[in-house]
């Protein structure tokens, strides 16, 4: 008996394993919410770094930001803290920074070259022309410096956008040479911001993917008819296979290219979803994207079934993660963490869905107006009480920042709300009730036709919409898909599957 007591007394105590540490860069808004939730659940311990590009004074870090220096510092930090992985989802700097850090530390991730190839919009079009020309549009670089004279001989209308940008910044259809000239005139402040947004990417691109050419320029694309729907395919690449997480439908403010809602579940036919996954497989294989989350933006023509590629973002679309959790019980952010640890994202436990339909609702102002006032503390409290599952974000701006919003995107996004409900009809009812509590007009203009409540321009340019079926047989002006060949990219034998 005594021996047994002694044996038990001196039995080794098993220590709980220390949580795995990961670096999570530029984690704000949806990413911040997900990080805190996963941290509370004990999924891992996260070390954060980076700044909020849309919030002052945090975005003051842009003044002296150097992407390679940032990556070197964080790699040293990760080595010291023994990071097991690194991840980041914001498009501007995060995905490339995470890739550079993972490379330095020998951690899981895709190559910086594949991130550059996806985010350099001109280079991406050239790659697409080799592997999926049926989904491409006519395109060419605008041969002009920022603010320089517009070349003669272009045909109009044309769609113009920066070679490197995010959030549809400066992306617009222009009707003639005068409109293109006006769109590409920038003041001193604007040029300062543009150069500091683009130069960190361009510096890495010059060293790692020089065949892409400079990102300090604009891209012209052939416009496509305005009658087709816009969609997002979210997924991931792991162990040689491209997987689909799901599809999110985009709904625009009528007569504009400004997003009004993103909705789940999708109305896109299953066959079109499968073909979109195959398009992603071909493009991602061509650029050598071997490990990580992706978001493919594309158009679909209901009449012909044609798909038209917009762009493929080499990172998780954080804004949609909450929608998938509500409707499908799938945690996209937790799956991203699993990928960073070289775990199969399909092993991440699912939760019970809480809604049959969910939406990311975007509140905007037009005509240079500042938008509706930010919610007061009393309004926020009322919203939280009535919509306990709701997510509310407010982005008030004024002065130069407000004017830049309107010029660069054609509107000002002053708020976002996420809600779920039993079905689409119930979701609209909840949206209208929540909007009334906030004093904001409900973003269902496509159904109601109430333009004045949203201050939507009545003569706005058409939204950019797809149609490979309507793609012109000849180049538009000096544009055309046939560009100078670039260095061949490896194309691994990827397969594709739905989660």
């Amino acid at each position: 008996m005594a021996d047994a007591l002694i044996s038990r007394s001196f039995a080794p105590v098993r220590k709980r394993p220390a949580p795995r540490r990961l670096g999570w860069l530029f984690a704000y808004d949806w990413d911040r919410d997900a990080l805190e939730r996963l941290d509370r659940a004990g999924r891992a311990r996260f070390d954060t770094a980076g700044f909020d590009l849309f919030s002052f004074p945090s975005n003051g870090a842009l003044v002296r930001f150097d992407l390679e220096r940032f990556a070197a510092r964080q790699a040293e930090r990760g080595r010291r803290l023994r990071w097991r992985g690194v991840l980041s989802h914001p498009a501007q700097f995060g995905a490339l920074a995470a890739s550079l850090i993972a490379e330095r530390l020998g951690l899981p991730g895709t190559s910086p070259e594949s991130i550059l190839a996806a985010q350099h919009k001109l280079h991406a079009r050239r790659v697409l022309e080799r592997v999926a020309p049926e989904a491409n549009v006519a395109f060419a670089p605008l041969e002009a410096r920022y603010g320089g004279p517009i070349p003669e001989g272009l045909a109009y209308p044309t769609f113009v956008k920066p070679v490197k940008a995010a959030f549809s910044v400066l992306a617009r259809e222009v009707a003639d040479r005068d409109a293109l000239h006006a769109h590409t005139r920038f003041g001193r402040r604007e040029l300062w911001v543009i150069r500091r947004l683009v130069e960190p990417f361009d510096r890495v691109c010059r060293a790692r993917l020089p065949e892409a050419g400079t990102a300090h320029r604009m891209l012209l694309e052939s416009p496509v008819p305005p009658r087709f729907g816009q969609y997002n395919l979210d997924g991931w690449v792991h162990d040689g296979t491209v997987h689909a997480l799901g599809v999110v439908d985009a709904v625009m403010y009528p007569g504009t290219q400004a997003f009004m809602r993103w909705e789940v579940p999708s109305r896109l036919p299953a066959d079109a979803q499968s073909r979109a996954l195959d398009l992603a497989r071909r493009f991602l294989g061509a650029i050598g994207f071997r490990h990580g989350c992706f978001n493919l933006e594309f158009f679909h023509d209901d009449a012909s079934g044609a798909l038209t590629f917009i762009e493929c973002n080499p990172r998780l679309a954080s804004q949609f993660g909450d929608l998938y959790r509500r409707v499908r019980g799938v945690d996209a952010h937790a799956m991203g963490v699993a990928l960073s640890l070289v775990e199969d994202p399909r092993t991440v436990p699912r939760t019970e869905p809480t809604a049959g339909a969910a939406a990311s609702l975007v509140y905007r102002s037009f005509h240079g107006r500042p938008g509706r006032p930010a919610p007061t503390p009393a309004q926020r409290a009322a919203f939280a009480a009535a919509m306990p599952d709701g997510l509310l974000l407010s982005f008030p701006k004024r002065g130069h920042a407000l004017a830049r919003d309107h010029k660069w995107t054609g509107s000002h996004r002053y708020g976002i709300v996420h809600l779920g409900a039993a079905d689409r009809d119930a979701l609209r009812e909840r949206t209208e009730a929540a909007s009334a509590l906030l004093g904001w007009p409900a973003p269902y203009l496509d159904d109601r036709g109430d333009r004045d409540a949203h201050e939507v321009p009545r003569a706005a340019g058409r939204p950019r919409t797809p149609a490979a079926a309507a793609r012109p047989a000849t180049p538009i002006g000096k544009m055309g898909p046939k560009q100078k060949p670039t260095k061949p990219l490896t194309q691994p034998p990827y397969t594709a599957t739905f989660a």
Side-chain angles (χ1 to χ4, degrees):
M1 182 72 172
D3 289 341
L5 289 173
I6 291 173
S7 177
R8 283 197 295 270
S9 298
F10 288 91
V13 177
R14 293 184 177 181
K15 294 183 179 180
R16 295 181 62 184
R20 296 168 295 185
R21 297 186 76 143
L22 288 87
W24 195 326
L25 314 175
F26 300 93
Y28 294 93
D29 298 333
W30 301 277
D31 288 329
R32 171 61 65 178
D33 289 346
L35 181 154
E36 293 173 352
R37 173 173 50 78
L38 294 173
D39 183 69
R40 289 193 301 268
R43 186 74 178 90
R45 180 175 177 181
F46 302 107
D47 299 310
T48 61
F51 55 92
D52 184 354
L53 191 60
F54 301 100
S55 176
F56 182 81
S58 179
N59 55 10
L62 185 63
V63 175
R64 293 183 175 85
F65 182 67
D66 182 291
L67 189 56
E68 293 165 300
R69 189 165 59 237
F70 173 83
R73 284 200 306 265
Q74 296 309 313
E76 178 58 36
R77 182 186 180 205
R79 189 175 292 109
R80 186 176 68 253
L81 297 177
R82 298 183 179 180
W83 285 356
R84 294 278 301 280
V86 58
L87 71 162
S88 185
H89 306 309
Q92 191 64 44
F93 302 125
L96 183 54
S99 180
L100 290 167
I101 295 167
E103 181 183 61
R104 285 172 176 264
L105 294 178
L107 294 173
T110 195
S111 68
E113 286 82 1
S114 68
I115 301 291
L116 294 163
Q119 293 188 334
H120 191 292
K121 299 180 193 299
L122 175 58
H123 184 77
R125 286 284 177 198
R126 291 169 174 164
V127 172
L128 187 71
E129 190 63 25
R130 297 203 300 270
V131 299
E134 76 284 356
N136 212 352
V137 294
F139 66 92
L142 175 61
E143 302 294 352
R145 291 179 173 272
Y146 293 141
I150 302 300
E152 299 285 352
L154 300 179
Y156 298 93
T158 187
F159 192 83
V160 58
K161 63 183 181 183
V163 164
K164 173 65 175 83
F167 303 101
S168 301
V169 166
L170 290 171
R172 186 170 304 173
E173 183 176 319
V174 293
D176 51 39
R177 189 171 185 271
D178 288 343
L180 182 56
H181 175 87
H183 183 63
T184 53
R185 301 307 98 179
F186 305 111
R188 214 165 29 128
R189 289 175 183 266
E190 290 177 298
L191 284 173
W192 185 93
V193 173
I194 289 171
R195 289 188 175 118
R196 278 157 182 77
L197 288 173
V198 176
E199 180 57 24
F201 174 91
D202 199 57
R203 187 179 300 118
V204 179
C205 194
R206 291 194 298 268
R208 305 294 294 263
L209 196 71
E211 63 268 28
T214 180
H216 284 291
R217 52 181 166 171
M218 307 290 278
L219 172 64
L220 301 177
E221 295 178 351
S222 174
V224 286
R227 63 185 181 272
F228 306 132
Q230 184 168 337
Y231 303 90
N232 292 262
L233 170 69
D234 297 294
W236 74 94
V237 180
H238 175 65
D239 197 23
T241 302
V242 180
H243 301 267
L245 175 62
V247 174
V248 178
D249 297 358
V251 182
M252 305 293 196
Y253 279 92
T256 79
Q257 64 185 52
F259 295 108
M260 182 166 61
R261 297 191 306 276
W262 282 277
E263 297 180 334
V264 172
S266 176
R267 293 184 173 93
L268 187 67
D271 173 67
Q273 295 189 31
S274 295
R275 288 187 292 111
L277 180 59
D278 181 63
L279 175 60
R281 178 191 62 80
R282 285 184 281 164
F283 177 77
L284 293 169
I287 65 172
F289 187 91
R290 300 174 182 275
H291 187 90
C293 298
F294 70 87
N295 165 258
L296 173 70
E297 298 180 50
F298 64 98
F299 297 111
H300 177 255
D301 176 0
D302 287 338
S304 69
L307 299 179
T308 301
F309 177 101
I310 302 173
E311 62 188 35
C312 192
N313 304 298
R315 43 84 185 174
L316 174 70
S318 298
Q319 189 168 352
F320 301 152
D322 177 62
L323 307 185
Y324 289 122
R325 287 184 68 231
R326 292 173 186 266
V327 175
R328 296 185 53 204
V330 178
D331 192 336
H333 280 91
M335 294 170 81
V337 170
L339 269 176
S340 71
L341 294 169
V342 204
E343 298 172 354
D344 188 340
R346 292 173 297 182
T347 64
V348 173
R350 296 195 180 201
T351 59
E352 189 69 25
T354 61
S360 180
L361 306 148
V362 188
Y363 297 80
R364 296 183 185 274
S365 65
F366 297 85
H367 296 302
R369 296 189 176 99
R372 300 302 172 93
T376 64
Q379 286 174 314
R380 288 183 177 273
F383 175 88
M387 310 288 167
D389 66 311
L391 184 150
L392 169 62
L393 297 172
S394 179
F395 309 99
K397 289 186 179 179
R398 60 182 182 179
H400 292 291
L402 175 64
R404 187 164 58 244
D405 257 17
H406 281 286
K407 177 177 179 181
W408 286 16
T409 68
S411 67
H412 164 52
R413 181 192 65 171
Y414 60 86
I416 289 179
V417 168
H418 281 201
L419 289 173
D423 54 38
R424 294 183 189 278
D425 290 338
L427 178 60
R428 177 171 177 173
E429 290 177 5
R430 291 197 80 205
T431 298
E432 291 178 342
S435 301
L437 290 171
L438 299 171
W440 295 350
Y444 274 87
L445 186 59
D446 51 323
D447 295 336
R448 189 169 58 210
D450 180 8
R451 288 179 178 270
D452 293 335
H454 294 258
E455 302 165 339
V456 176
R458 294 182 180 275
R462 296 184 307 179
R464 181 175 180 268
T465 47
R471 181 178 170 186
T474 56
I476 301 299
K478 294 184 179 178
M479 293 194 295
K482 306 303 180 185
Q483 305 289 334
K484 182 179 178 180
T486 57
K487 183 171 64 179
L489 295 169
T490 57
Q491 187 166 357
Y494 286 166
T495 57
T497 183
F498 274 82

